[in-house]
Amino acid sequence: MTRRTVRPLGTLTVIAPLGSPGRRPRLEKTIRAAADHGFNVSYWGWRRASQEDIGEHLAAISSRRAILSGGSYGSTLGRLLYPVWTIAVFFRVLITRPRYVYALGLETAAGVWLASLFTGTKYVFDDADRLLLLFNFPRWFGFLVER
């Protein structure tokens, strides 16, 4: 299969609360598709364990950064750090002002959305967990999240 030549479209910043994006097939495919369609891909993740690589083995990622470390998966500390993750994402987007962002999960998208009000960042919110279908939230909350 030959790879077509595409004109660079700029940088797509992929932000996810994961330390190894290659372990989530849909996320890895999204990163590869973005690179194949002309984006330089920057990955910002949450490294919860020291062995997580922040996507070092994925050739499609041109730069990577752990914006939060610690709080292993499934631990009480890990669950308590989700608000810290949202705040870290907000400040990182506010400071660096990426043009395009792919935000995985509500906890990521909330920080990106708030920062985008000040930066003009364009983003895609990927709700892989379908949060609104998992819990019986009030209608107003569902409406707010969807907007």
Side-chain angles (χ1 to χ4, degrees), residues 90-98 119:
F90 166 73
F91 280 110
R92 180 61 57 191
V93 171
L94 187 66
I95 291 166
T96 62
R97 298 177 177 268
T119 64

Side-chain angles (χ1 to χ4, degrees), residues 2-4 6 9 20-21 27 34-35 37 57 83 86 94 96 99 104 118 120 122 124 127 132-133 136-137 143 145:
T2 60
R3 189 171 176 159
R4 64 187 169 129
V6 292
L9 296 173
S20 296
L27 184 58
H37 285 87
H57 72 282
T86 301
L94 187 66
T96 62
R99 186 168 181 192
L104 182 67
F118 304 99
K122 305 290 185 211
V124 171
D127 185 14
L132 295 177
L133 296 177
N136 190 17
F137 290 111
F143 177 81
V145 170

Side-chain angles (χ1 to χ4, degrees), residues 5-6 8 19 26 39 41 47 66 69 72 80 88 107 113 117 144:
T5 304
V6 292
R26 191 170 88 188
F39 283 97
V41 178
R47 180 181 281 146
S69 295
S72 63
L80 292 174
E107 63 281 357
W113 166 76
L117 298 176
L144 180 69

Side-chain angles (χ1 to χ4, degrees), residues 14-19 27 43-46 85 102-104 108:
V14 176
I15 310 174
L18 303 167
L27 184 58
Y43 181 75
W44 300 350
W46 177 356
W85 168 256
Y102 174 92
L104 182 67
T108 304

Side-chain angles (χ1 to χ4, degrees), residues 1 10 17 34 36 47 49 51 56 58 64 69 76 96 110 112 114 123 134 143:
M1 179 172 170
D36 287 346
R47 180 181 281 146
Q51 69 270 20
E56 290 202 21
L58 296 178
R64 58 199 47 78
S69 295
T76 301
T96 62
V112 174
L114 187 57
Y123 64 94
L134 293 175
F143 177 81

